Amino acid sequence: MAVSPFGALVAAARVTVTQRSAEPIFERELLAGSGEVVVLSGGAALGSAQVGMLEALAAAGVKPALLLGTSAGAINASFFASDPTLRGVRNLADIWMELTTRKVFGTTTHRAANLLRGRSGLSSPQGLREVIAENLPYYRIEDAPTPVGVVTTHLRTGTAVLHRSGSAVEILLASAAIPGVFPPVRLSPMSAPTRPGTHVDGGVRCMVPVEMALAQRPKRVWVLDVASAVKATRSYHPGSLDPVATGFAMALAAQADATEEAEHDTHVRVINLPMGAVRRLRSAMDFSRGKALYDAGRDEAERVLASVL
């Protein structure tokens, strides 16, 4: 039986506001190469800023041994893993510049119709599926040239799951399945050998997977966090009808201290590349400011890099 958009939000709320669920599911693996890990948060349309940050890191010669991402950050991590160079960043930027709210989330009319029909999400994931399937050059996560991990939330248990193998398209769709916006994704044992079952957006339980990165015993961790910038969008306010903003509000409130606590429990150097407010950004669903977000992310990253390298 399909879950309504409201039901999906309620289920996600139960996960985010109740006590901590089972420990996250992930494997600890010995890092090769540089020992550097890049962590990318969720952020919907603000993922464009992460691409600018990746450009700054690539230009500075940072070569990740592992990329970990949630939701939009997982998509960016997966694409960057295929070519972690300036050329790869610019190809990814071209994809982001062509995205529109209509392409990713559909029209307002379609979302309203899905709500009235009781569909399990306001939007169809077909547009996002096409973007990923047509542009990602590998089929399974374990085939990425640079190791990459994608975070989802197992809906029944509320457990954060880090996938290092499985179907790249299906797991990325699950990682970006914002409750109430996109329908939950059923992952088969073949698609997700780490934890099959029904999954939703990784940000419900683990918006910024720093703890998972630190568990890999890295030499340095770079955190590309754009999720906090969602608070600066015009639709982020109590009672907002923007389901993306509502979902982020729940997740950020529940996880406000998680990243800070994880960083305090390690001697690994963690470098945060935060994202501030972007003028005239209406919503986390607003893809019209892609270039401005890209530039802002790059400029912020360059500012931080100048002080740490």
Side-chain angles (χ1 to χ4, degrees), residues 34-212:
S34 67
E36 302 209 57
V37 178
V38 176
V39 173
L40 298 92
S41 74
L46 284 92
S48 183
Q50 286 178 335
V51 184
M53 294 176 179
L54 288 172
E55 179 183 309
L57 288 179
V62 174
K63 299 182 184 299
L66 174 66
L67 294 137
L68 300 180
T70 294
S71 198
I75 294 173
N76 283 334
S78 298
F79 275 94
F80 190 60
S82 69
D83 185 6
T85 65
L86 283 173
R87 180 187 62 186
V89 171
R90 287 161 186 162
N91 289 338
L92 178 56
D94 288 341
I95 294 171
W96 272 94
M97 295 309 136
E98 293 179 0
L99 292 181
T100 63
T101 300
R102 180 170 184 164
K103 174 68 174 176
V104 177
F105 295 111
T107 65
T108 301
T109 301
H110 287 153
R111 294 197 295 273
N114 286 336
L115 177 63
L116 292 174
R117 292 168 183 162
R119 298 280 173 83
S120 56
L122 295 175
S123 300
S124 165
Q126 186 58 34
L128 187 58
R129 177 185 291 276
E130 290 173 357
V131 170
I132 298 170
E134 292 173 6
N135 293 283
L136 193 66
Y138 55 90
Y139 295 103
R140 294 187 66 83
I141 291 174
E142 63 267 35
D143 294 333
T146 299
V148 63
V150 176
V151 180
T152 66
T153 301
H154 186 259
L155 186 59
R156 183 176 61 81
T157 62
T159 305
V161 181
L162 178 64
H163 303 266
R164 297 286 299 276
S165 63
S167 168
V169 173
E170 296 306 316
I171 291 174
L172 285 173
L173 287 175
S175 183
I178 304 167
V181 179
F182 292 121
V185 177
R186 179 74 179 175
L187 297 175
S188 69
M190 181 67 72
S191 296
T194 302
R195 185 64 162 95
T198 302
H199 292 250
V200 294
D201 196 302
V204 170
R205 175 53 69 187
C206 185
M207 183 69 77
V208 191
V210 174
E211 184 177 356
M212 294 178 177

